[in-house]
Amino acid sequence: FYIGITPADGIDFETLSLALDRKLADVAENGLDAVEIEAAKKRMINNLIFSTDSLSGPAFIFGRSLSIGLSVDDIETWPQRLGVVNAE
């Protein structure tokens, strides 16, 4: 996974970086609640659907995944496995 941040107008990189550090520390200490987890799952599924809406999208997903040792089954069952993720 990756984490990306983009500053709002008028926010400098140092302020943005400190806010990210605080959020990561909070998640490490307190975890995520069920609403945050469900929202993240929905975004991930939506991104997957959008990324497969082209000829090159599925090829990119399979190529990237297979190159790091995942199987075709891992790729095809990812949405179902994501569906059971929860705060526990």
Side-chain angles (χ1 to χ4, degrees):
F1 72 93
Y2 67 91
I3 296 173
I5 55 175
T6 304
D9 289 339
I11 304 296
D12 61 52
F13 181 75
E14 185 175 338
T15 301
L16 183 65
S17 181
L18 290 172
L20 175 61
D21 290 344
R22 283 193 302 275
K23 181 61 178 176
L24 291 175
D26 178 58
V27 169
E29 183 175 328
N30 301 312
L32 298 170
D33 65 34
V35 172
E36 292 170 313
I37 292 171
E38 289 303 314
K41 289 168 35 176
K42 185 175 182 176
R43 281 191 309 272
M44 293 174 82
I45 294 294
N46 289 344
N47 286 338
L48 175 65
I49 292 167
F50 180 75
S51 68
T52 60
D53 194 23
S54 70
L55 291 176
S56 61
F60 180 75
I61 292 168
F62 275 82
R64 181 181 60 194
S65 300
L66 294 171
S67 72
I68 62 167
L70 296 177
S71 69
V72 171
D73 186 60
D74 291 332
I75 300 162
E76 292 178 340
T77 60
W78 181 79
Q80 292 82 16
R81 290 182 290 117
L82 178 63
V84 299
V85 172
N86 60 47
E88 303 301 313

